[in-house]
Amino acid sequence: FLSLVAEFCWGFFVILILGNFWFLAVLYLLWLYLDWRTPCAGGRRSHWVRSWTVWKYFREYFPIQLIKTSELNPNHNYLLGFHPHGVLVAGAFGNFCTDPPFKNLFPGLTPYLHIMPIWFGCPFFREYIMSAGMVSASKESVSHVLSNKGGGHASVIVIGGAEESLNAHPGSLTLNILKRKGFIKMALKHGAHLVPVFSFGENELFKQVANPKGSRLRNVQEKLQKIMGFALPLFHARGVFQYSFGLIPYRQPIHTVVGSPIPVKQNLNPTTEEIDQLHALYLQKLKKLFEEHKGNYGIPAHKSLIFE
């Protein structure tokens, strides 16, 4: 979805350059140069954009629901680890980039969804995603959010990243997390409390072409992901007036469960052992969150998370 919108924005920009409005394109390029660091400095959110009526219908389509399991004190900053990526990351967008789901459940906290920096290089599109509360996933950007002295900021990071979208098959419970420890180091450096978040139903929105690890398709996808920075899952779902084939996601409920915070004491120079220890605790809390709630959302009792 993001790719399609970004392509439209690029197309519009090219039309400006080739048409009689080239001067507008030049002015925008100047603005882009002057505003280049904004996605790493908290972005530029708009309550008006986040409150568009279309997002209400977007949340109701699946529907998307945010579930609170514990209080989050607005006097602290938090790093929320979102799982799984899925194809669309609908739960992350619907709950953290639109109002009012998050602010009603967690008053005093402002969520920032961190996405790949490449998206902020797209003309016009960057203005929209920043207005929705999205910021860069760079270290500089995460540090900016978590450095707020008064607390009240929440960095939301999709831990598995683009690579995990290649595992987004219905029923899949495989998370790319064992080697992902950068978010742990950032939490320690800033003393940000860690919060595991699991979005039940995220992998059920699309059917993806079979791409087991080691297959020719998977190898090509992984190579392209390393080159371009984002993955290209081959997926399909339903159409507008029929349910057999199309690119519109299936209407499957998404329940995004926000777990209890893991207190983190600030450590400007954490050792490898300290990072590994907190990472292991995070995995333990994430698994516990999943096990406690899986029965409520149709996950068989014998199924558990798989960490890769």
Side-chain angles (χ1 to χ4, degrees), residues 15-65:
I15 291 173
L16 288 181
I17 294 176
L18 299 179
N20 295 324
F21 302 97
W22 59 267
F23 61 95
L24 293 178
V26 173
L27 288 176
Y28 185 80
L29 286 175
L30 177 60
W31 162 255
L32 195 62
Y33 173 77
L34 296 174
D35 194 57
W36 190 253
R37 302 309 307 166
T38 301
C40 294
R44 187 170 46 247
R45 70 178 53 227
S46 165
H47 174 68
W48 175 67
V49 173
R50 290 171 58 91
S51 300
W52 281 351
T53 302
V54 67
W55 304 136
K56 175 177 179 290
Y57 294 125
F58 174 81
R59 295 191 301 268
E60 292 177 350
Y61 171 80
F62 298 98
I64 296 174
Q65 184 177 359

Side-chain angles (χ1 to χ4, degrees), residues 265-291:
K265 185 177 180 181
Q266 187 173 25
N267 184 346
L268 297 177
N269 296 292
T271 64
T272 301
E273 290 74 21
E274 289 170 329
I275 293 173
D276 289 344
Q277 183 178 11
L278 183 55
H279 186 261
L281 177 60
Y282 179 86
L283 294 182
Q284 177 185 333
K285 295 295 184 180
L286 174 60
K287 185 173 183 179
K288 180 182 178 182
L289 177 70
F290 174 81
E291 293 294 331

Side-chain angles (χ1 to χ4, degrees), residues 48-280:
W48 175 67
V49 173
R50 290 171 58 91
S51 300
W52 281 351
T53 302
V54 67
W55 304 136
K56 175 177 179 290
Y57 294 125
F58 174 81
R59 295 191 301 268
E60 292 177 350
Y61 171 80
F62 298 98
I64 296 174
Q65 184 177 359
L66 187 66
I67 292 91
K68 174 182 178 179
T69 64
S70 178
E71 295 291 339
L72 297 182
N73 190 332
N75 293 323
H76 298 296
N77 291 320
Y78 297 88
L79 195 159
L80 279 62
F82 183 90
H83 312 270
H85 184 288
V87 171
L88 188 61
V89 205
F93 177 82
N95 288 309
F96 304 116
C97 295
T98 71
D99 289 333
F102 188 84
K103 74 174 186 178
N104 281 355
L105 287 180
F106 302 100
L109 282 180
T110 302
Y112 297 81
L113 179 61
H114 295 270
I115 64 175
M116 292 184 296
I118 189 175
W119 296 116
F120 296 98
C122 180
F124 306 114
F125 182 63
R126 69 188 296 276
E127 317 304 333
Y128 160 66
I129 57 180
M130 279 196 289
S131 67
M134 298 183 222
V135 293
S136 173
S138 66
K139 293 180 180 179
E140 177 187 357
S141 177
V142 178
S143 291
H144 180 88
V145 173
L146 298 181
S147 295
N148 187 43
K149 298 299 182 182
H153 283 188
S155 280
V156 183
I157 301 178
V158 184
I159 305 300
E163 182 183 356
E164 193 173 82
S165 67
L166 300 178
N167 289 328
H169 296 272
S172 174
L173 296 173
T174 301
L175 303 181
N176 291 58
I177 192 172
L178 292 181
K179 295 181 180 180
R180 296 178 182 266
K181 300 179 182 180
F183 73 104
I184 298 291
K185 188 174 182 179
M186 293 300 292
L188 282 166
K189 283 190 171 184
H190 295 281
H193 296 350
L194 282 166
V195 182
V197 179
F198 195 88
S199 196
F200 292 89
E202 199 75 45
N203 285 340
E204 320 307 316
L205 305 185
F206 297 92
K207 292 179 180 178
Q208 191 173 166
V209 175
N211 60 342
K213 287 197 172 183
S215 65
R216 182 176 298 178
L217 174 58
R218 185 60 169 259
N219 290 337
V220 171
Q221 288 175 319
E222 291 176 346
K223 288 180 181 179
L224 289 175
Q225 189 264 324
K226 290 179 180 179
I227 294 172
M228 298 185 299
F230 56 90
L232 292 173
L234 299 179
F235 60 88
H236 66 89
R238 54 163 289 186
V240 178
F241 302 111
Q242 45 78 30
Y243 292 84
S244 57
F245 189 82
L247 295 179
I248 298 176
Y250 293 115
R251 297 190 70 176
Q252 295 290 338
I254 299 173
H255 296 90
T256 304
V257 184
V258 181
S260 301
I262 303 170
V264 177
K265 185 177 180 181
Q266 187 173 25
N267 184 346
L268 297 177
N269 296 292
T271 64
T272 301
E273 290 74 21
E274 289 170 329
I275 293 173
D276 289 344
Q277 183 178 11
L278 183 55
H279 186 261

